[in-house]
Amino acid sequence: IDSEFLDVSVPERAFRVESYRSRGKVSKSLDASLRTYFINRCDFVNPTPKDDEVSDINQVSDRTFLAKATPGVLELYSSVIAKVLSRTGPVIVSDELPSGEHRVVIGYRQRSTQGYFSALSDLYHYYSMFSSRKYVEQFSNGVTIISMYLDLAKHAKRLAAGSGSSSNSSSSTGSPVLTASGAPVSIDDSVNQIKREASLLFCIPNTPFQTLFKTGELSVQETVYGYVVWIFAQHFLNRLGSEYATLVDILDPSDPADVEVLSKLKKRLRQETFTRELILDIMLRHRELLKDLYAHFANTHYVQADAPTSVADHLASRLQDDLHVSLSMQRLQDKAPLSTEDLRVKITRVTTNDHDAMVMRALLDFNEHVLKTNFYQPTKVALSFRMDTGFLPAIEYPTKPYGLFLVVGNEFRGFHVRFQDVARGGIRIVRSRNPEAFSINQRTLFDENYSLA
């Protein structure tokens, strides 16, 4: 549905979706519900709105949607559309209905993400929730709105109705239904967490770690973090070795022939020593280490681990204690994160060969050199990381950049590199004709950026 209808929807050719889940079961012997999807091509009231018509829901809507929508839905959608048109990221709102269901409404610009509809299903299933109905509405002003009507699954309701237990528990899929303290998860907690993580999924809805997310082995944050550090390792894992350094000393850097030999050798070593597939395989085999590395990253950029040192800090700490702690925060509080040295020791102890250890240490290097990030900001269209350039090997990059940013989005990755506080430059976009060309182009992305800068 995503790839054939939703991802390709534009005002000239858009598709709307209605999905319903049966209240009863398929049969007495099978404890499963039936879900149906109805997909229709949009018939807009005004296919080419202009000026004030762009924000008029009665002008930009599909005729079937207008015929079915209640005044309350029209008012809600009109408000979401106005916000989407005024920003670049997603707009996420929710409310509780008289039936006890929670409605989550997400608006965004068409073709600004891919695979998002199915990724959202994985997200609410992770938090032991189900949707009784879902709608995807398209508008001729270029806006898409997804509505999900959510409730807790039966096993989660039983826990919420009970007294909980003193130890953590999980559903059959591994997704959390208890908080770190052992208390049952409320529907409000789950919905709030879904709203938080829907923003993260909007940036990167699908990754090679998606299966581990579906089975509950990794959370959304751990999955997206794994994808980012996988990209980092592809670009910056030092694969040249001491032999290359010796060769650099022997050859003449002023001789074009020697420089060409070094360049070809460097490219070959990078492509053949640690391939993208090998790095991914190592990370998947050491998923527990990956979770430890994420906790180490989050402890710096999300969890305030330091004790308050001033009156203002004490007041802020008290206020934070009074506010409800999110489920992602509770997961991190479940066990103390390892220090950098403890992680180095654990990597050495757990990995079985030098290649595995090198890859996992490269992920730790990422953590150690991230200065700031928007990873935990609620509204974003891509992930950005400002890096301390100390991890760049001098043999490959003799001049250290002043500033280095890694940016990762749904369909792209990129770098910003500059060698002064203020440096003129431009944007270079490398478009690939097919996946094979993309694989080739991404290998030299940073080196090309570095050389241009």
Side-chain angles (χ1 to χ4, degrees):
I1 291 177
D2 275 315
S3 60
E4 293 189 25
F5 301 102
L6 301 183
D7 294 347
V8 297
S9 284
V10 291
E12 295 77 20
R13 188 173 182 270
F15 297 90
R16 60 187 300 271
V17 178
E18 297 181 32
S19 175
Y20 303 94
R21 181 181 188 266
S22 65
R23 294 182 179 179
K25 302 302 178 184
V26 173
S27 68
K28 292 182 179 180
S29 59
L30 183 59
D31 187 21
S33 300
L34 179 67
R35 178 171 288 282
T36 55
Y37 293 86
F38 301 92
I39 304 170
N40 296 282
R41 185 166 176 175
C42 294
D43 177 20
F44 296 119
V45 174
N46 184 350
T48 55
K50 298 178 181 178
D51 302 326
D52 293 341
E53 296 172 344
V54 172
S55 57
D56 184 351
I57 195 169
N58 293 298
Q59 289 286 325
V60 300
S61 295
D62 170 77
R63 296 181 189 275
T64 303
F65 166 73
L66 277 181
K68 291 183 176 182
T70 64
V73 168
L74 289 175
E75 182 181 356
L76 173 62
Y77 277 35
S78 183
S79 171
V80 171
I81 288 173
K83 293 177 181 177
V84 171
L85 294 175
S86 65
R87 67 169 71 166
T88 54
V91 175
I92 305 172
V93 298
S94 69
D95 58 354
E96 184 176 0
L97 304 177
S99 64
E101 289 182 312
H102 281 63
R103 175 173 55 188
V104 177
V105 179
I106 305 172
Y108 56 92
R109 295 178 184 269
Q110 292 169 356
R111 302 194 71 175
S112 57
T113 187
Q114 290 196 336
Y116 194 43
F117 185 59
S118 59
L120 288 171
S121 297
D122 294 336
L123 177 60
Y124 63 71
H125 287 150
Y126 180 83
Y127 287 103
S128 302
M129 302 194 76
F130 71 93
S131 64
S132 61
R133 48 204 164 111
K134 298 184 286 188
Y135 304 98
V136 182
E137 299 294 346
Q138 309 285 358
F139 299 89
S140 62
N141 57 6
V143 173
T144 297
I145 294 182
I146 298 176
S147 291
M148 305 179 294
Y149 292 74
L150 303 178
D151 201 352
L152 284 174
K154 283 187 176 181
H155 68 274
K157 280 188 173 181
R158 287 195 295 269
L159 281 167
S163 59
S165 63
S166 59
S167 61
N168 291 339
S169 180
S170 63
S171 70
S172 59
T173 61
S175 57
V177 291
L178 296 181
T179 64
S181 63
V185 172
S186 71
I187 188 170
D188 293 327
D189 288 336
S190 296
V191 169
N192 286 334
Q193 195 62 35
I194 287 170
K195 289 170 61 180
R196 288 170 180 264
E197 297 181 357
S199 172
L200 191 58
L201 273 183
F202 179 83
C203 300
I204 306 176
N206 291 291
T207 76
F209 302 91
Q210 198 72 11
T211 301
L212 298 179
F213 171 50
K214 289 181 178 181
T215 58
E217 290 188 68
L218 296 180
S219 67
V220 174
Q221 293 102 328
E222 290 164 344
T223 300
V224 175
Y225 167 82
Y227 180 69
V228 171
V229 293
W230 177 53
I231 289 174
F232 176 85
Q234 293 172 40
H235 288 287
F236 299 115
L237 186 59
N238 187 4
R239 291 160 281 191
L240 301 183
S242 58
E243 294 84 357
Y244 179 84
T246 302
L247 194 59
V248 169
D249 292 336
I250 295 174
L251 296 180
D252 183 3
S254 62
D255 186 342
D258 286 358
V259 172
E260 185 178 1
V261 168
L262 285 173
S263 177
K264 289 181 177 180
L265 180 61
K266 180 178 178 181
K267 185 178 295 185
R268 182 174 178 179
L269 286 171
R270 285 185 164 180
Q271 293 176 3
E272 297 181 2
T273 309
F274 283 94
T275 63
R276 298 167 64 242
E277 292 76 17
L278 177 59
I279 295 171
L280 178 61
D281 179 64
I282 290 171
M283 292 176 64
L284 290 173
R285 282 192 280 110
H286 295 289
R287 60 194 69 173
E288 287 302 318
L289 267 181
L290 181 62
K291 295 172 75 170
D292 288 333
L293 286 161
Y294 168 73
H296 180 268
F297 168 83
N299 190 52
T300 300
H301 299 284
Y302 184 53
V303 181
Q304 298 298 320
D306 295 334
T309 56
S310 67
V311 175
D313 290 333
H314 276 289
L315 290 173
S317 179
R318 253 185 94 181
L319 177 61
Q320 187 164 348
D321 289 340
D322 291 338
L323 295 174
H324 194 72
V325 179
S326 68
L327 292 181
S328 55
M329 174 75 81
Q330 293 177 36
R331 283 198 300 267
L332 292 171
Q333 293 174 344
D334 196 18
K335 65 175 183 178
L338 298 176
S339 67
T340 301
E341 287 306 314
D342 289 339
L343 269 173
R344 293 191 190 280
V345 171
K346 185 170 183 178
I347 289 171
T348 302
R349 186 179 74 251
V350 171
T351 53
T352 56
N353 56 64
D354 290 342
H355 279 185
D356 288 18
M358 286 180 66
V359 169
M360 302 313 291
R361 288 193 194 105
L363 311 190
L364 183 57
D365 284 341
F366 172 84
N367 287 4
E368 288 290 280
H369 292 90
V370 173
L371 298 176
K372 61 171 66 173
T373 178
N374 67 344
F375 192 94
Y376 296 104
Q377 293 298 316
T379 56
K380 52 188 172 289
V381 294
L383 300 177
S384 179
F385 304 85
R386 178 164 187 171
M387 311 295 299
D388 180 336
T389 58
F391 66 91
L392 293 175
I395 188 173
E396 299 181 58
Y397 309 102
T399 305
K400 296 293 184 184
Y402 178 89
L404 192 164
F405 290 81
L406 167 63
V407 183
V408 181
N410 183 29
E411 292 186 290
F412 73 93
R413 67 183 67 173
F415 293 96
H416 165 73
V417 183
R418 69 177 186 268
F419 286 83
Q420 296 178 12
D421 186 12
V422 179
R424 58 181 293 187
I427 296 176
R428 176 175 170 83
I429 299 175
V430 181
R431 300 187 66 179
S432 305
R433 291 187 299 273
N434 50 56
E436 290 182 8
F438 179 78
S439 180
I440 294 171
N441 290 334
Q442 68 182 357
R443 294 171 187 166
T444 58
L445 178 63
F446 179 74
D447 284 353
E448 184 177 348
N449 199 170
Y450 177 91
S451 298
L452 287 170

